[in-house]
Amino acid sequence: LQNATNGALAGLVGVTAGCSVVDPGGAIVIGIGAAWVYILGSRGLKKVKCFGADGKWGTGYIDDVIDAIPVHGMCGAYGVIMTGLLATKDNYARAYYAARAADCAGLLYGGTGGALGANIIFIVVDVLWTSFWSILVFGTLKTLNLLRVDSDTEDIGMDASEHGAAPLKEGGAPSIAMSDSAKRTPSLDPAVAMNYSNKGGKKKDVEDI
């Protein structure tokens, strides 16, 4: 189900860049390709190592639970590149500037390739810009020990500690029922709740279903 829904979203993301300049046939090609970009990107991303829970490089893996990077990042970049290939002169002239349509059309539709080159440069600059500020901001937070929550909050889950959502058992059933005084941090089970409370957490009581 996740692949189906994210695959559909990937197609929408992929065609966004070129929606005003590609023909319906080109849009179909982009959409089908975007689904594969998402699937392969998601699988590949799970193999990329990063800092682990111990703070050491290479002991952890990127944890993109909703596949935001493959769907929005990879499929977005793919769509920008495909626009440089599949944009038509007529559509570009109607959407933007008729005088530049011959130069800015997709490479496969008689364009000079200038649009494709500009789009690739745009992607590279965008990745560099985003990476620079992400490393600066999140690197600073990591250095100041402000990037991660404490281990007890991780055990319970931030859906519970920050949003008051009850964690789920295997199969999707809520693992606990929250009393009024426990709405902030329901726990996975009473034992974990007691442990969390004893260590200074917010959890005070839990009622089993």
Side-chain angles (χ1 to χ4, degrees):
L1 180 60
Q2 180 179 354
N3 285 344
T5 54
N6 276 346
L9 182 57
L12 294 172
V13 171
V15 80
T16 296
C19 62
S20 62
V21 295
V22 300
D23 282 339
I28 292 173
V29 170
I30 292 173
I32 293 173
W36 285 103
V37 170
Y38 157 65
I39 293 293
L40 297 176
S42 176
R43 291 177 180 177
L45 190 67
K46 290 178 173 64
K47 300 178 182 178
V48 178
K49 293 184 178 181
C50 62
F51 288 100
D54 57 3
K56 297 179 180 179
W57 177 262
T59 60
Y61 294 87
I62 293 178
D63 184 22
D64 185 1
V65 294
I66 60 171
D67 279 332
I69 294 174
V71 172
H72 296 280
M74 297 179 184
C75 291
Y78 158 80
V80 171
I81 292 173
M82 293 301 290
T83 300
L85 294 173
L86 300 178
T88 70
K89 294 179 182 179
D90 290 342
N91 287 343
Y92 189 92
R94 283 191 289 265
Y96 300 107
Y97 310 103
R100 298 173 55 190
D103 293 330
C104 296
L107 187 62
L108 300 182
Y109 283 82
T112 63
L116 177 61
N119 289 2
I120 293 174
I121 292 173
F122 164 76
I123 294 171
V124 172
V125 171
D126 186 39
V127 170
L128 291 176
W129 173 267
T130 305
S131 298
F132 171 79
W133 286 107
S134 296
I135 291 171
L136 180 64
V137 172
F138 295 115
T140 300
L141 292 174
K142 178 176 173 58
T143 301
L144 298 174
N145 292 320
L146 297 174
L147 190 59
R148 297 181 69 94
V149 297
D150 60 86
S151 58
D152 294 318
T153 303
E154 284 187 356
D155 288 340
I156 290 179
M158 292 190 69
D159 280 347
S161 65
E162 295 300 316
H163 307 297
L168 299 179
K169 289 180 179 178
E170 246 180 82
S175 60
I176 54 95
M178 291 180 289
S179 64
D180 290 339
S181 60
K183 287 182 178 179
R184 287 287 294 167
T185 52
S187 180
L188 296 173
D189 57 58
V192 175
M194 181 64 71
N195 183 48
Y196 185 63
S197 178
N198 290 340
K199 291 185 178 181
K202 300 173 185 175
K203 185 65 186 173
K204 296 302 178 186
D205 56 22
V206 176
E207 297 171 358
D208 287 331
I209 289 179

